[in-house]
């Protein structure tokens, strides 16, 4: 049961990362334009332009392989935490501009819906890591 829950969570993240990275790469010019509207310096924006889809694809690949699944889940959690911190800063009015360079249908979400979406995935990744890191209890104990 626990293993299948971890697999379902991993599958959900794989779909999320492939979908978001894929939608950025399929319409790279639009993604590049949206990234140029971000509040970051041009140098940081250039790094993020390539790093974000690359890290999303890397997370999906790590999640696909049993030996690297835990590393993929940790990377997924870290990505979601960073994206969520950014959303919180947007919602709180910290940034003067509020562009969204998310991929696909996720871009259509409002910021509060996006926050709830991210909190759900953060919770799922923490649950998955808790299950995989928790030592197995033997019947002989």
């Amino acid at each position: 049961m626990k293993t299948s829950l971890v697999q379902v969570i991993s599958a959900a993240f794989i779909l999320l990362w492939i979908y978001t990275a894929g939608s950025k790469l399929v319409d790279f010019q639009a993604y590049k334009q949206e990234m140029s509207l971000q509040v970051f310096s041009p140098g940081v924006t250039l790094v993020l332009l390539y790093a974000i889809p690359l890290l999303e694809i890397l997370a999906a690949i790590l999640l696909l392989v049993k030996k690297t699944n835990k590393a993929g889940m940790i990377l997924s959690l870290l990505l979601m935490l960073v994206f969520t911190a950014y959303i919180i800063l947007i919602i709180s009015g910290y940034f003067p501009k509020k562009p969204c360079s998310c991929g696909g249908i996720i871009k259509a979400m409002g910021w509060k819906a996006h926050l709830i979406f991210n909190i759900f995935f953060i919770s799922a990744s923490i649950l998955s890591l808790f299950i995989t890191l928790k030592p197995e209890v033997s019947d002989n104990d």
Side-chain angles (χ1 to χ4, degrees):
M1 173 71 173
K2 291 179 181 180
T3 303
S4 60
L5 182 57
V6 170
Q7 290 172 336
V8 167
I9 294 169
S10 295
F13 268 108
I14 291 166
L15 290 172
L16 174 67
W17 297 138
I18 295 301
Y19 176 74
T20 57
S23 62
K24 289 173 182 124
L25 297 175
V26 164
D27 195 357
F28 189 76
Q29 288 307 314
Y31 168 61
K32 185 176 180 180
Q33 175 63 30
E34 290 162 358
M35 285 298 290
S36 72
L37 299 174
Q38 296 293 330
V39 297
F40 309 114
S41 70
V44 170
T45 300
L46 183 62
V47 170
L48 292 175
L49 180 68
Y50 295 99
I52 292 172
L54 179 68
L55 288 169
E56 290 170 339
I57 293 167
L58 177 62
I61 291 168
L62 290 171
L63 288 166
L64 278 169
V65 180
K66 188 173 182 173
K67 282 185 174 185
T68 60
N69 182 273
K70 195 180 308 177
M73 193 57 67
I74 291 168
L75 178 56
S76 295
L77 174 60
L78 292 174
L79 286 170
M80 292 306 289
L81 287 171
V82 169
F83 295 152
T84 303
Y86 177 74
I87 291 168
I88 290 169
L89 290 172
I90 289 284
I91 291 171
S92 68
Y94 183 79
F95 294 126
K97 300 185 278 184
K98 298 181 179 184
C100 181
S101 55
C102 305
I105 200 166
I106 295 170
K107 184 180 1 179
M109 286 185 195
W111 287 110
K112 289 180 183 174
H114 202 148
L115 180 62
I116 292 166
F117 179 85
N118 283 25
I119 290 170
F120 171 81
F121 273 93
I122 287 170
S123 301
S125 63
I126 290 171
L127 175 61
S128 177
L129 288 168
F130 178 76
I131 290 169
T132 58
L133 296 174
K134 186 177 177 182
E136 290 293 321
V137 178
S138 160
D139 290 337
N140 298 333
D141 291 342

